[in-house]
Amino acid sequence: LAFEALVYGWDFHPVTEMKIADHGDLPFEFAKPAGIPDEIEKYVAWMLEQDTMVLSIGGDHFISWPLIKAHSAKHGKPISMIHFDAHSDTWADEHEDGINHGTMFWHATKQGYIDPKNSAQIGLRTVNEDPLGFNIFDAPWVHKHGTDAVVEEVRRIVGDNKAYLTFDIDCLDPAFAPGTGTPVCGGLSTAQAREIIKGLSGLNIIGADLVEVSPPFDHAEITALAGATLALDFLCLFARAPWRWT
């Protein structure tokens, strides 16, 4: 391949191996916000029925909940989840159908969409006394043991399971991602995150999202650049997902 046809750190470019389209914004009814989660789920389910893979860009991290339901409808539940974040987002919700970006994975686990035993959360650095059985590699663990150890553990935990990848940009330290709503010090660097992502190549990634980039809070587009770079890495993971060829 020519130099221009490669993504740095990979030996190919996803546009040479997949047909990629920017779908644009999903349509939904602005005047009826309570119905938006169902609209996201139904629309993405329709997209997946066309034998596509979906990379979603947010926005509020709550969108992962309808996205996970749509992917589970396509691939069967429970699925594994690989979750990069400063927060667990598994806090208990007093509302059965709460729309809350701190509780959606509690709902997803309690309703059987995610198998926590075969899932991993990476970069956490906030307190949750009930981790619901997830395998957690918090930010201090990553800093102490290194990215290779994280990759080894995540690959062991997820195995051949189909896995949904969700990346909250606040997994990165505010030095690398200031443009987000709930920054927490002590996080991963962009380089660490990319090394882990590249190490997941060959896992059965079925879909992904990258969320919580907030341009009004950004500085010199640091966060937007990190998000765009990671999103390109996710497309590379899509291209190397074994389930696509079976």
Side-chain angles (χ1 to χ4, degrees):
L1 293 176
F3 174 80
E4 294 80 8
L6 301 178
V7 175
Y8 186 80
W10 301 83
D11 61 359
F12 70 103
H13 196 293
V15 298
T16 65
E17 302 196 11
M18 300 188 296
K19 295 179 179 179
I20 301 174
D22 180 357
H23 185 279
D25 295 338
L26 266 60
F28 53 79
E29 180 54 64
F30 290 91
K32 298 179 180 179
I36 291 175
D38 286 341
E39 293 184 68
I40 293 174
E41 179 185 348
K42 292 176 182 177
Y43 199 90
V44 171
W46 170 81
M47 295 174 71
L48 294 173
E49 287 173 2
Q50 319 309 312
D51 291 327
T52 62
M53 298 182 75
V54 177
L55 170 59
S56 305
I57 306 295
D60 193 282
H61 202 168
F62 176 81
I63 66 170
S64 294
W65 181 207
L67 292 170
I68 283 172
K69 288 197 282 186
H71 282 80
S72 295
K74 169 70 174 180
H75 295 280
K77 67 177 186 179
I79 58 176
S80 294
M81 180 175 71
I82 304 172
H83 174 206
F84 291 78
D85 207 320
H87 313 86
S88 69
D89 296 339
T90 54
W91 288 283
D93 196 336
E94 60 183 0
H95 304 290
E96 182 177 350
D97 296 311
I99 301 175
N100 186 317
H101 69 181
T103 65
M104 68 280 185
F105 297 141
W106 180 85
H107 287 291
T109 302
K110 292 293 185 179
Q111 295 183 32
Y113 288 91
I114 295 173
D115 179 4
K117 299 187 303 298
N118 298 117
S119 299
Q121 296 183 304
I122 302 163
L124 306 191
R125 49 197 188 276
T126 48
V127 177
N128 183 350
E129 295 181 354
D130 184 6
L132 297 183
F134 279 92
N135 300 281
I136 296 174
F137 305 96
D138 62 13
W141 198 98
V142 177
H143 296 318
K144 180 177 180 179
H145 296 279
T147 57
D148 288 346
V150 179
V151 169
E152 180 180 358
E153 286 298 303
V154 174
R155 296 186 71 92
R156 177 186 63 81
I157 290 163
V158 174
D160 295 329
N161 295 334
K162 290 184 176 181
Y164 185 84
L165 172 64
T166 178
F167 197 109
D168 187 323
I169 203 69
D170 70 24
C171 177
L172 304 182
D173 189 85
F176 302 94
T180 190
T182 50
V184 183
C185 290
L188 276 58
S189 70
T190 309
Q192 285 176 309
R194 290 201 71 207
E195 284 300 311
I196 296 171
I197 293 295
K198 287 184 288 184
L200 303 182
S201 179
L203 291 185
N204 275 315
I205 304 298
I206 57 174
D209 63 59
L210 189 141
V211 295
E212 297 289 343
V213 174
S214 180
F217 294 163
D218 207 0
H219 174 73
E221 299 184 342
I222 295 172
T223 315
L225 181 58
T229 302
L230 289 165
L232 182 56
D233 287 332
F234 298 169
L235 292 177
C236 292
L237 289 182
F238 283 7
R240 290 293 179 261
W243 72 269
R244 296 178 61 238
W245 314 111
T246 59

